[in-house]
Amino acid sequence: MSYGFVDLRLNHAGSTGADSFWPSFTDIMTVVVMIFLLASTVLIMNNLELVENLRESILAQQKAAEIARTTSEEKQTIEEQLAQAQHELSVLRIELLQASDAADLKSQLLAEKERQLD
């Protein structure tokens, strides 16, 4: 049975019994190859989805790291401002104590002068 095709096999006369085995073998191999190709396609698609998820995860991690870095910088800035304000407060307290001592001294001197005038 050539179905209109030229028979190019070398010993086509001696292949009467083998015709029934090899076509079924090639059919089986074709099915195996098709299953392999379908499985490969599914795996490739799955890997592409996983790669995309990984990229999104890496971007989210980078954004979180950037937010953490800026938050840390803001915290340091606020801590520096707090330290500066505490320093200014201590300087003002010292000045207040000095002014209070000076006022006490002046009031004592004033009281002394009033006693001398009396």
Side-chain angles (χ1 to χ4, degrees):
M1 294 191 125
S2 64
Y3 298 109
F5 295 106
V6 177
D7 191 7
L8 297 175
R9 292 178 285 182
L10 293 176
N11 54 355
H12 63 282
S15 64
T16 56
D19 283 340
S20 63
F21 174 73
W22 287 111
S24 65
F25 179 74
T26 56
D27 290 343
I28 291 171
M29 288 294 115
T30 303
V31 169
V32 168
V33 168
M34 288 180 69
I35 290 172
F36 173 76
L37 289 175
L38 287 174
S40 297
T41 304
V42 168
L43 287 174
I44 289 172
M45 296 300 289
N46 191 18
N47 284 345
L48 288 175
E49 182 179 342
L50 289 175
V51 166
E52 185 64 29
N53 289 342
L54 182 62
R55 285 184 183 148
E56 290 173 3
S57 174
I58 289 172
L59 287 175
Q61 185 179 14
Q62 288 174 348
K63 287 179 183 178
E66 181 67 23
I67 289 171
R69 187 184 59 78
T70 56
T71 303
S72 175
E73 289 175 356
E74 289 173 359
K75 179 184 171 193
Q76 288 176 351
T77 303
I78 291 171
E79 285 177 352
E80 290 171 1
Q81 289 174 351
L82 177 62
Q84 182 67 26
Q86 287 176 342
H87 176 69
E88 289 176 8
L89 181 61
S90 65
V91 167
L92 289 174
R93 281 184 182 161
I94 291 172
E95 289 177 1
L96 180 62
L97 286 174
Q98 289 174 348
S100 176
D101 289 343
D104 288 344
L105 182 62
K106 285 182 183 181
S107 68
Q108 287 175 358
L109 287 174
L110 182 61
E112 179 87 21
K113 294 289 182 179
E114 285 180 358
R115 271 189 255 134
Q116 286 178 359
L117 286 176
D118 288 338

